[in-house]
Amino acid sequence: MRSLKRNSHRLRAIRPPTSLPAPPRIFSAPISTHPSASNDVTSITPIKSLLIANRGEIALRIARTASSMGIRTTTLYTDIDASSQHAKCTPNSLALGPNTKGYLNGPQIIELAKKHGIEALHPGYGFLSENPTFAQACEDAGIVFVGPPPKAMLDMGDKARSKIIMNAAGVPCVPGYHGPEQSVEELRGHAREIGYPVLLKSVKGGGGKGMRIVLRDEEFEAQIASARQEARASFGDGGEVMLVEKYIVRPRHVEVQVFADRYGNCVALGERDCSVQRRHQKILEESPAPVLDDATRHDLWDKARKAALAVDYVGAGTVEFILDKDTGKFYFMEMNTRLQVEHPVSEMVTGTDLVEWQFRVAAGERLPLTQDEIEARIHERGAAIEARIYAENPDKGFFPDSGKLVHLITPKVSEDIRIDAGFVEGDTVSEAYDGMIAKLIVRGRDRETAIRKLELALQEYEVVGLSTNIEFLKRLCRSQAFVEGDVETGFIEKWKEELFERKHVSDEVFAQTALGLLTSQTKKTISGPHGETLGFGEAAAQGSRKFAFQVKRDDAAAETTDEAPEVVQVEVTQRGHSLYNVSVSRSTDASTASPVVYENIISEPGSAVAASHKSQLTTFFPRARVETTLVQDPGAPEKLAVFQLGEKTELTLVQPGWFEKALGLKEAAASVVAPMPCKILRNEVSEGQEVEKGAPLVVIESMKMETVIRSPQKGTVKKLAHKEGDICKAGTVLVLFEDPDATPAAGSE
């Protein structure tokens, strides 16, 4: 196999800017501020075999680079992931067993690597990637850990210790208390001294877990109890140790991608703005950060490099800062001692492959580019944005979701449009793991171009089978505040009226849905003895068919008002071959509506679709040609997804009342059910208690996230069906109400 040392000369060839001068040789020493920087050459040991100790899109992404470098790669899988894409992407894949937490079983993973003679291990991100004990165990077992030294992970992994180190290195930190005294009164005293509002967070925190904002002194005790409970559940022993810091009212989350080698060389590959968040977790990441002056930008880079060098860092890392919009000052938050989810953004603006850099540095090579060369590339390559595609429902407070991807169409990729995904159509997104389906990364010559390209790419996405945040991301791209770069971590809450404004559904959507259903039904018509169609079809001129639809509503208004959902009736009359009249009546009482009528419109099936639950059609309305994809949920055919003009609309096919009654399809009254597979954390009410509409009933956990289930009505609690710790399937009844007019239906287990 060609050595990594020889291959390293090819790294510059990764999409270099054409206007830059010829770069110097890779092994010319980069600029360094490390006091122990040395030009002594140590041995370079090429990595020939690799175990990826992770799952999903990051495992696939690492495998791609490893394969391109000639590294034999092995992946891991738990039983629930046996058919996953990452388990299939390599010739060798090893089983971890039935425990869904198998990816956290460090001793088992190391034993598998030793048993199969694997030289190196890449932890990806999450799971074991920031576990210094695991990194040390790999080193002790003679396995190359593709990541930073255990001591650097230990120093930066403890938020209190990292603050002490940063202060000593001259890196500014948020005012706060990071000491060992952990009584509630001690911490409350520091909060009073710092001044409210304050931020509580676990010393082992990450991803928003164990983090609470305390606005007033009287809520301190309740908030710290809640933060500690969540942190202990997320991080284990020691997670309950808390920091108290000044809460910045209008903060931006700006982080710097750093990379260091064993020779004391450290570079910053630009900064990323990750301010647009929900539940303290990122949704969009972009580079360069918008509305940031060059002096502040270079100061951030300099402080990030100082932070990494202060702990003798090696490999890829991210130094995270909080930037106060009111003062322009920034403060060190933490360092993520691993590859970040959003690393493709930095790759896009620097023309690099950071996973390849990880392998080369782990093998003993020097950094391939100097700081000046990186800065020249950033200046040349414009801006990049990453959107995380999640299985969640933004209209329900970003409620996590899970299920089978019954339909999946993704944007076309190119040099400037990249998709890192862990799923394909037919795969199941499990509630056992994080709900990220994919990452969509785009690049443009400037930020405005990148935003427009991102929205266009999002319009190509089609997902059916579970809720996603794709429509919400489109609205973000159209937000004037976002386009202007007026971002902060409270952006979604600040602009929620605009971002969650109810969408108007055009008449053409209902017309196309009816025509699509008609096309689907026509496929199933029975042929006569001589091949002619019997019933409604091309040969049955003047036939009519009626449909009724409701638009799916998950927004807050649907839960807090008694507004009746709109019922839209559509009548389709076939006039001849592919020729129709369509009448759309938009009223809950169709008899009083003034219908919109489209006469003599041509509608034809689109390209062949093998699946019976999908149909495509092209219709020539009076003023436009409209192409539509219609997908029926195979498990619930009344649920319809309509993709038209870059937008997704979810409809329900309304059945006649007598049909619902005859088949017992009417929704069970006076009960609240689990919206997804979940674990019961606690019941917030007791049996016999009277509650108001919107009151919290049960707190559940799914996909590592807590969710409060609220009452859909005013009433009296009759029964709590489950206790703390119970595991429930989607659709399981959680709470029954007293209902004098109806007998509550029992939910299935």
Side-chain angles (χ1 to χ4, degrees), residues 488-506:
E488 58 188 84
T489 57
F491 182 89
I492 293 176
E493 178 64 24
K494 181 178 180 179
W495 299 101
K496 64 181 179 181
E497 289 188 13
E498 172 190 336
L499 295 172
F500 293 98
E501 185 178 6
R502 192 185 305 179
K503 182 181 73 173
H504 172 74
V505 182
S506 70

Side-chain angles (χ1 to χ4, degrees), residues 73-282:
T73 305
T74 302
T75 51
L76 300 169
Y77 63 91
T78 57
D79 285 1
I80 200 169
D81 273 344
S83 299
S84 65
Q85 298 306 307
H86 80 265
K88 300 174 183 177
C89 77
T90 55
N92 306 308
S93 196
L94 306 176
L96 292 170
N99 191 341
T100 58
K101 296 183 178 180
Y103 299 105
L104 292 168
N105 192 334
Q108 180 187 11
I109 291 171
I110 291 173
E111 188 58 37
L112 285 170
K114 290 168 59 179
K115 179 180 178 180
H116 292 272
I118 300 173
E119 300 172 344
L121 181 145
H122 196 307
Y125 45 69
F127 293 127
L128 297 169
S129 63
E130 293 185 284
N131 187 321
T133 303
F134 177 72
Q136 185 63 55
C138 287
E139 186 176 312
D140 294 342
I143 297 168
V144 176
F145 181 81
V146 183
K151 184 179 183 302
M153 297 171 71
L154 194 64
D155 287 342
M156 286 301 196
D158 186 306
K159 287 181 170 55
R161 185 186 308 179
S162 68
K163 296 293 193 303
I164 295 171
I165 296 171
M166 292 303 100
N167 280 321
V171 180
C173 297
V174 178
Y177 174 72
H178 315 124
E181 296 297 327
Q182 288 290 305
S183 71
V184 173
E185 283 309 311
E186 178 77 20
L187 295 176
R188 175 182 259 159
H190 287 288
R192 291 168 177 166
E193 183 179 338
I194 295 165
Y196 290 100
V198 297
L199 181 67
L200 300 174
K201 58 183 177 180
S202 167
V203 296
K204 293 186 176 183
K209 301 295 184 184
M211 185 182 294
R212 297 292 186 274
I213 299 166
V214 187
L215 301 176
R216 296 174 296 277
D217 188 68
E218 53 267 26
E219 66 184 49
F220 186 89
E221 190 169 346
Q223 291 283 49
I224 197 169
S226 176
R228 280 177 161 163
Q229 179 180 355
E230 186 176 72
R232 200 177 296 115
S234 299
F235 310 117
D237 291 342
E240 70 278 4
V241 178
M242 306 302 290
L243 309 179
V244 184
E245 293 182 343
K246 179 65 180 174
Y247 177 68
I248 308 299
V249 177
R250 294 208 308 151
R252 287 176 62 183
H253 183 145
V254 181
E255 60 190 29
V256 179
Q257 176 72 62
V258 295
F259 220 108
D261 62 21
R262 298 180 187 178
Y263 305 90
N265 303 309
C266 183
V267 294
L269 290 99
E271 81 288 346
R272 300 183 291 252
D273 190 294
C274 308
S275 299
V276 181
Q277 305 178 0
R278 89 283 187 264
R279 298 178 185 253
H280 302 293
Q281 293 180 317
K282 304 164 187 173

Side-chain angles (χ1 to χ4, degrees), residues 502 510 549-555 557-558 561-568 586-590 652 654 667:
R502 192 185 305 179
F510 298 108
F549 306 105
Q550 282 183 354
V551 179
K552 181 184 176 184
R553 284 189 57 197
D554 291 327
D555 56 305
T561 68
D562 296 322
E563 178 186 344
E566 182 186 26
V567 176
V568 179
R586 302 184 67 131
S587 172
T588 52
D589 182 1
T652 300
V654 180
E667 186 176 342

Side-chain angles (χ1 to χ4, degrees), residues 529-718:
H530 303 291
E532 73 276 13
T533 303
L534 298 180
F536 193 96
E538 292 183 356
Q542 301 298 331
S544 294
R545 192 72 56 88
K546 290 184 179 181
F547 302 91
F549 306 105
Q550 282 183 354
V551 179
K552 181 184 176 184
R553 284 189 57 197
D554 291 327
D555 56 305
E559 297 182 355
T560 58
T561 68
D562 296 322
E563 178 186 344
E566 182 186 26
V567 176
V568 179
Q569 280 202 351
V570 182
E571 182 174 2
V572 180
T573 302
Q574 187 168 1
R575 306 284 305 195
H577 179 72
S578 300
L579 189 65
Y580 303 91
N581 286 351
V582 181
S583 171
V584 180
S585 179
R586 302 184 67 131
S587 172
T588 52
D589 182 1
S591 63
T592 63
S594 299
V596 174
V597 179
Y598 301 100
E599 293 186 335
N600 296 320
I601 59 174
I602 298 173
S603 183
E604 299 174 335
S607 57
V609 178
S612 60
H613 60 284
K614 303 180 186 181
S615 59
Q616 294 177 340
L617 65 154
T618 300
T619 301
F620 293 86
F621 287 91
R623 295 183 179 180
R625 184 193 80 247
V626 178
E627 296 180 350
T628 303
T629 298
L630 174 65
V631 183
Q632 290 182 271
D633 188 328
E638 74 279 2
K639 295 181 180 179
L640 310 171
V642 188
F643 297 94
Q644 187 167 302
L645 298 176
E647 299 290 335
K648 178 184 180 181
T649 304
E650 293 182 272
L651 303 176
T652 300
L653 180 61
V654 180
Q655 301 287 356
W658 63 266
F659 186 69
E660 289 185 352
K661 184 176 181 180
L663 297 183
L665 297 178
K666 189 175 180 181
E667 186 176 342
S671 65
V672 175
V673 301
M676 69 190 88
C678 63
K679 177 182 179 181
I680 305 298
L681 292 184
R682 60 186 178 275
N683 290 310
E684 297 282 16
V685 293
S686 57
E687 293 179 358
Q689 181 178 339
E690 291 187 4
V691 296
E692 297 293 325
K693 184 174 182 178
L697 299 175
V698 183
V699 180
I700 63 172
E701 182 182 53
S702 181
M703 289 185 168
K704 304 179 183 179
M705 300 177 73
E706 288 189 19
T707 302
V708 178
I709 305 299
R710 298 185 180 275
S711 178
Q713 64 188 52
K714 179 179 180 180
T716 302
V717 176
K718 179 180 181 181

